[in-house]
Amino acid sequence: MKKLKKLMTLLSCFSFFLYSMNISVVASNVSKNENSQDAAYSAYLNLSENLNIRMDSVSSNYPDTFGGCYIDGNKLVILLTELTPQEKQYYISACENSSDVVFEQVNYSYEYLLDLEEEIVSRVEKNANVYEHYISVATNTVNIGVDDISEDVSWKSRTATPLPILFYEVSSLPETAAMQGGEEITNGSDSFSICFFGKYNSKDSLITCGHTNTVGKSIYYNNTVIGNVIKQNLKLYTDVDGIPASYGDFSIVDISNSSINGSGYVKTPNGSISATGTANLVVGLTVKMYGKTSSCVNGTIKNTSVTATFYEPGTYEQYKVKGLTTVEGATTVASGDSGGCVIYTTSTGVNRIAGCITGYKAGVYSYITPASYIESSGFSFN
């Protein structure tokens, strides 16, 4: 990333926007219209491909003027720091001249906010517990959830030059959605849900949650052993604050010797649906989350590239999961839905795999691991 000379100057005497609020009101209002998103989503996919960037995982080459983008109803909203005709035309061309694109001006580029997030979080963690952080494209801010913003800690010092940082209180850690339910599979002690099937190292495999599923554990379906965990993507390295961390939360189960085959279907309240390919996620996209406990939960993507701190049930050992996406709806997923399948459905009825269920904050939103992180591990969905 580019060096932030301006940022480092400001950090010598930094101040922030400080808020004490429920976590559910951090992001701004994004339309939840489920109809006619396909054209806007197509414009986003063209933008993503032509500029070689993604919004559901961190890229290394966001343009200098790019502040992010999101879907609002049937439009792709592109945020720019400069609204010149030349800049607009550059992005319209990247969207293959789509008429479903609108522009809004923001003060800060996405690249700047990424660097700011990294720098500020590392400083805040020295004085407070950071349970969650992400960039809100809708508000053009870095949002940081801490245990108590009323404490007199050094990061609350004030100056006349505020930075685009919004603090909010997180009263409790998110809950992992393990322990029961899903299109049920178990590891002998905990139960969870199947996401989907595919190939890993040329072997038939399935994806489920990473938490509780260490490498070597046997996995059961209806009391029958179907395979064992061959990769756990969780707690892969130690973050700067000493807490184990990973990008995404999932495990891969080898089912190549199973007497029960995987399928190309996802269980729904009314039967099953087929799914093919994966979705490139962006704020405003509507998705459905499938797990046996909740059956089906509808929601809208609220934020991407979220870092959240969870704890292991029983031991309460903390760990971080980075790169998550939050989904907001009338309800959240529940205990037992971990590992379940997240689906985006196009207007033509094609179901794409958006990711797997990671956890939830009760009454607020659900966390999912985007399919892109699963695919980057070498797994290919059927």
Side-chain angles (χ1 to χ4, degrees):
M1 291 185 179
K2 300 183 291 293
K3 299 294 183 182
L4 295 178
K5 295 181 179 179
K6 178 181 179 182
L7 168 61
M8 297 310 297
T9 300
L10 291 171
L11 284 175
S12 63
C13 53
F14 59 91
S15 68
F16 313 105
F17 304 112
L18 297 171
Y19 293 88
S20 176
M21 59 176 66
N22 186 289
I23 194 173
S24 63
V25 298
V26 168
S28 68
N29 183 29
V30 177
S31 172
K32 298 182 180 177
N33 177 17
E34 292 189 9
N35 300 319
S36 306
Q37 286 194 320
D38 224 33
Y41 186 53
S42 178
Y44 165 69
L45 293 180
N46 287 329
L47 176 77
S48 175
E49 181 177 359
N50 289 329
L51 299 187
N52 192 26
I53 59 175
R54 295 182 70 112
M55 295 305 297
D56 62 355
S57 56
V58 177
S59 304
S60 60
N61 53 339
Y62 297 107
D64 290 343
T65 59
F66 182 67
C69 62
Y70 62 90
I71 292 174
D72 187 3
N74 59 359
K75 296 293 183 181
L76 175 66
V77 182
I78 298 178
L79 308 174
L80 300 177
T81 58
E82 298 177 12
L83 285 182
T84 64
Q86 294 84 353
E87 286 294 321
K88 288 182 179 180
Q89 186 56 51
Y90 173 76
Y91 290 96
I92 289 173
S93 298
C95 294
E96 303 291 347
N97 296 315
S98 170
S99 60
D100 299 287
V101 174
V102 296
F103 295 93
E104 290 183 5
Q105 187 164 14
V106 292
N107 293 324
Y108 306 99
S109 71
Y110 198 72
E111 182 81 4
Y112 172 85
L113 292 176
L114 283 171
D115 288 351
L116 179 64
E117 179 185 24
E118 180 179 2
E119 176 65 28
I120 296 302
V121 168
S122 66
R123 290 174 176 249
V124 173
E125 285 176 332
K126 296 176 182 178
N127 301 285
N129 292 319
V130 176
Y131 289 148
E132 186 177 80
H133 59 89
Y134 58 91
I135 293 171
S136 171
V137 292
T139 59
N140 199 224
T141 56
V142 174
N143 294 3
I144 303 176
V146 294
D147 55 349
D148 187 0
I149 65 172
S150 65
E151 294 181 1
D152 185 18
V153 289
S154 61
W155 49 266
K156 286 184 65 178
S157 60
R158 304 283 189 110
T159 71
T161 310
L163 293 175
I165 301 173
L166 188 151
F167 284 97
Y168 57 93
E169 287 189 354
V170 178
S171 58
S172 63
L173 295 181
E175 300 175 52
T176 52
M179 302 302 178
Q180 57 183 333
E183 172 62 17
E184 188 177 7
I185 52 177
T186 75
N187 58 21
S189 56
D190 302 309
S191 60
F192 28 87
S193 305
I194 296 170
C195 175
F196 208 70
F197 304 91
K199 297 281 188 180
Y200 183 71
N201 291 337
S202 301
K203 294 183 177 181
D204 290 333
S205 305
L206 66 80
I207 293 294
T208 187
C209 57
H211 52 273
T212 79
N213 287 321
T214 54
V215 172
K217 276 194 173 183
S218 296
I219 302 299
Y220 301 81
Y221 178 84
N222 288 341
N223 297 317
T224 299
V225 177
I226 59 171
N228 62 286
V229 178
I230 55 176
K231 180 178 178 62
Q232 182 189 36
N233 193 90
L234 193 74
K235 297 185 282 189
L236 298 182
Y237 67 95
T238 301
D239 209 8
V240 292
D241 58 355
I243 298 178
S246 64
Y247 281 87
D249 171 359
F250 62 91
S251 62
I252 302 175
V253 180
D254 178 2
I255 58 170
S256 58
N257 295 318
S258 173
S259 59
I260 304 173
N261 295 325
S263 71
Y265 293 87
V266 177
K267 185 177 181 181
T268 70
N270 300 315
S272 62
I273 58 173
S274 62
T276 181
T278 57
N280 183 335
L281 305 183
V282 61
V283 171
L285 201 66
T286 56
V287 296
K288 294 183 178 181
M289 298 170 285
Y290 294 96
K292 185 157 188 173
T293 302
S294 302
S295 187
C296 178
V297 176
N298 300 327
T300 301
I301 292 175
K302 201 67 175 177
N303 291 290
T304 58
S305 296
V306 176
T307 296
T309 301
F310 297 84
Y311 60 85
E312 290 281 9
T315 65
Y316 292 92
E317 175 193 0
Q318 292 187 11
Y319 62 92
K320 291 182 183 179
V321 183
K322 302 186 177 186
L324 295 176
T325 292
T326 56
V327 179
E328 187 177 81
T331 61
T332 66
V333 296
S335 183
D337 290 330
S338 275
C341 195
V342 185
I343 293 290
Y344 162 70
T345 304
T346 70
S347 63
T348 57
V350 178
N351 299 308
R352 305 290 190 197
I353 301 162
C356 69
I357 297 169
T358 295
Y360 65 99
K361 187 164 181 62
V364 182
Y365 44 59
S366 306
Y367 295 93
I368 68 173
T369 292
S372 58
Y373 284 106
I374 300 171
E375 290 178 310
S376 68
S377 72
F379 183 90
S380 58
F381 288 95
N382 284 344

